[in-house]
Amino acid sequence: QLQASGGGLVQAGGSLRLSCAASGRTVSNNGMGWFRQAPGKEREIVTSINWRGGDTYYADSVKGRFTISRDNVKNTIYLQMNSLKPEDTAVYYCAQFRSPLAATAREGVRYWGQGTLVTVSS
């Protein structure tokens, strides 16, 4: 099970930190990622990280503002979101990939977290 937390309401320019804790299994051998889905839109990749944490991917829309990290001892990944914009408003889902790499495709996801809502007001 992947349990995401940390979502909420924040003003534009503000920050939030999301966490995703895995229970019942280890994620230390898998790439992990965050996707998001805004109302009326498809779920899209935001960022991902490989199993060691040494390789990351960021969507162009969040580069320079978001940072993904992981703690394999705690079996947890994090998403630090700074300089938030109204267009970042979405439900954010953490994901465990089948691959150990910083994957990006939804088809490569083995498990999804339950989602946490981030709302950025203008």
Side-chain angles (χ1 to χ4, degrees):
Q1 182 179 3
L2 298 175
Q3 184 71 36
S5 61
L9 174 63
V10 64
Q11 288 189 333
S15 298
L16 282 175
R17 189 191 194 209
L18 306 184
S19 298
C20 176
S23 61
R25 61 179 173 272
T26 180
V27 297
S28 59
N29 297 320
N30 298 86
M32 299 291 292
W34 290 94
F35 289 73
R36 67 186 180 188
Q37 187 166 19
K41 294 189 177 182
E42 292 191 352
R43 191 173 299 188
E44 62 177 4
I45 181 71
V46 176
T47 178
S48 62
I49 188 167
N50 72 339
W51 68 287
R52 280 188 174 183
D55 185 34
T56 55
Y57 165 87
Y58 293 96
D60 288 343
S61 58
V62 306
K63 279 181 182 177
R65 301 188 297 121
F66 290 12
T67 303
I68 189 171
S69 60
R70 67 187 299 160
D71 184 332
N72 285 343
V73 174
K74 294 183 178 180
N75 231 16
T76 301
I77 65 166
Y78 305 96
L79 179 61
Q80 178 65 43
M81 305 186 293
N82 298 329
S83 302
L84 282 161
K85 305 176 181 180
E87 51 263 44
D88 294 318
T89 295
V91 177
Y92 284 71
Y93 298 90
C94 61
Q96 179 184 0
F97 291 105
R98 295 184 182 86
S99 165
L101 304 177
T104 59
R106 284 178 294 175
E107 293 76 13
V109 174
R110 174 175 287 169
Y111 298 112
W112 292 99
Q114 89 285 8
T116 185
L117 176 62
V118 172
T119 304
V120 184
S121 62
S122 57

